[in-house]
Amino acid sequence: MSEAESPTAIGPQAYAGWRATALGTITETIEQRVVLDMMGGLVGIRLLDVGCGDGALICAAAARGAIVAGVDADSTMLTAARQRMAQAGFEVTLREGRVEELPFPDDSFDVVASVTVLCFVGDAERAVREMARGLRPGGRLVIGELGRWSTWAALRRVRGWLGSTTWRAARFRTPGELRTLLQQAGLSVTAIQGAIYYPPANLFARLLAPLDPWLGSLTRLGAAFIALGAVKP
Ligand SMILES: C[S@@+](CC[C@H](N)C(=O)[O-])C[C@H]1O[C@@H](n2cnc3c(N)ncnc32)[C@H](O)[C@@H]1O
């Protein structure tokens, strides 16, 4: 799939540009920490990242000892992920495919993760059922999604109204809606965590990021990023 046809119309260059900003670096670091914490110990764990993008999470998971695989609908993202993993010296299985029909057999993984992907998927119920199918019994699903009640969501909605196809199509969910999605797929939700409480600007990120873990321990209201952990019975 070409970059122009990317499901999110984001593409690896835009992602690299975002990570080069202070806002991008600080925000991605916090989100990745929340997701990795929720995954728990990774040594020898078979991990699938669904919608792996340019491979930042699988690279961090491989550095923690996971046996990693990634799937994404956008081949340009997969090329960037392959380059990142090769540069870091990690092995990875990468497949082009869609979350609604994952190219892996049942019960293949100990952990399945998916970060800011369901918000761009038309049939999220089916996508989560597919992720659950790929997990072995007792395996863990960890998702990170865009929270509905945040300054980030408000601004992105405005960008959608102003013509951004990515943000016009995106769906922002509450923690309760995300919990229901996972439960409908037969999973037991074990953790829900909010993160990214500052507005989307470099200065706010620099000043307020240190407060993020404390705010996350108090409330999920205002969180731009909602992470959930769940177990397959
Ligand atoms: C916002 S990016 C997130 C990438 C990565 N998870 C991260 O957090 O850096 C969303 C990713 O999901 C992928 N994607 C969107 N819809 C998809 C689908 N239906 N099946 C598989 N991948 C999809 C996009 O190609 C893109 O790489």
Side-chain angles (χ1 to χ4, degrees):
M1 183 178 287
S2 75
E3 196 169 320
E5 296 165 319
S6 160
T8 57
I10 293 175
Q13 282 84 9
Y15 243 71
W18 152 246
R19 291 210 182 93
T21 63
L23 181 65
T25 306
I26 293 167
T27 304
E28 294 262 327
T29 302
I30 294 174
E31 291 179 359
Q32 199 177 81
R33 178 183 47 73
V34 169
V35 167
L36 287 168
D37 282 356
M38 235 176 228
M39 286 179 185
L42 287 177
V43 177
I45 291 293
R46 296 165 301 168
L47 177 128
L48 173 66
D49 186 7
V50 175
C52 63
D54 63 1
L57 182 63
I58 41 178
C59 197
R64 285 164 177 74
I67 303 157
V68 292
V71 60
D72 201 287
D74 182 341
S75 64
T76 66
M77 285 293 208
L78 290 171
T79 301
R82 199 166 284 115
Q83 282 167 357
R84 179 196 291 275
M85 294 300 276
Q87 273 163 14
F90 295 128
E91 285 186 18
V92 63
T93 303
L94 290 172
R95 296 254 196 287
E96 187 172 341
R98 299 193 67 86
V99 56
E100 299 90 338
E101 203 169 342
L102 289 174
F104 295 98
D106 297 1
D107 306 344
S108 299
F109 297 96
D110 304 300
V111 174
V112 172
S114 188
V115 178
T116 55
V117 177
L118 291 176
C119 46
F120 298 115
V121 169
D123 191 345
E125 288 83 1
R126 179 172 170 191
V128 177
R129 274 202 309 277
E130 269 298 274
M131 294 183 204
R133 181 185 67 72
L135 271 179
R136 67 157 170 84
R140 279 166 289 153
L141 176 69
V142 177
I143 63 162
E145 278 297 309
L146 305 178
R148 179 180 295 169
W149 306 120
S150 74
T151 50
W152 294 64
L155 289 169
R156 284 165 169 170
R157 268 197 213 99
V158 171
R159 286 171 67 185
W161 296 333
L162 294 178
S164 159
T165 48
T166 298
W167 296 118
R168 196 167 51 222
R171 169 115 190 239
F172 306 91
R173 291 187 168 88
T174 64
E177 287 171 337
L178 292 167
R179 180 205 294 268
T180 302
L181 257 184
L182 270 48
Q183 288 172 337
Q184 282 170 346
L187 301 168
S188 304
V189 175
T190 54
I192 308 182
Q193 173 76 45
I196 316 299
Y197 291 85
Y198 47 83
N202 289 330
L203 181 66
F204 288 124
R206 283 205 183 94
L207 291 175
L208 300 177
L211 299 179
D212 222 75
W214 174 68
L215 286 166
S217 70
L218 294 181
T219 181
R220 296 186 291 255
L221 196 65
F225 187 76
I226 309 282
L228 285 88
V231 174
K232 178 170 171 176

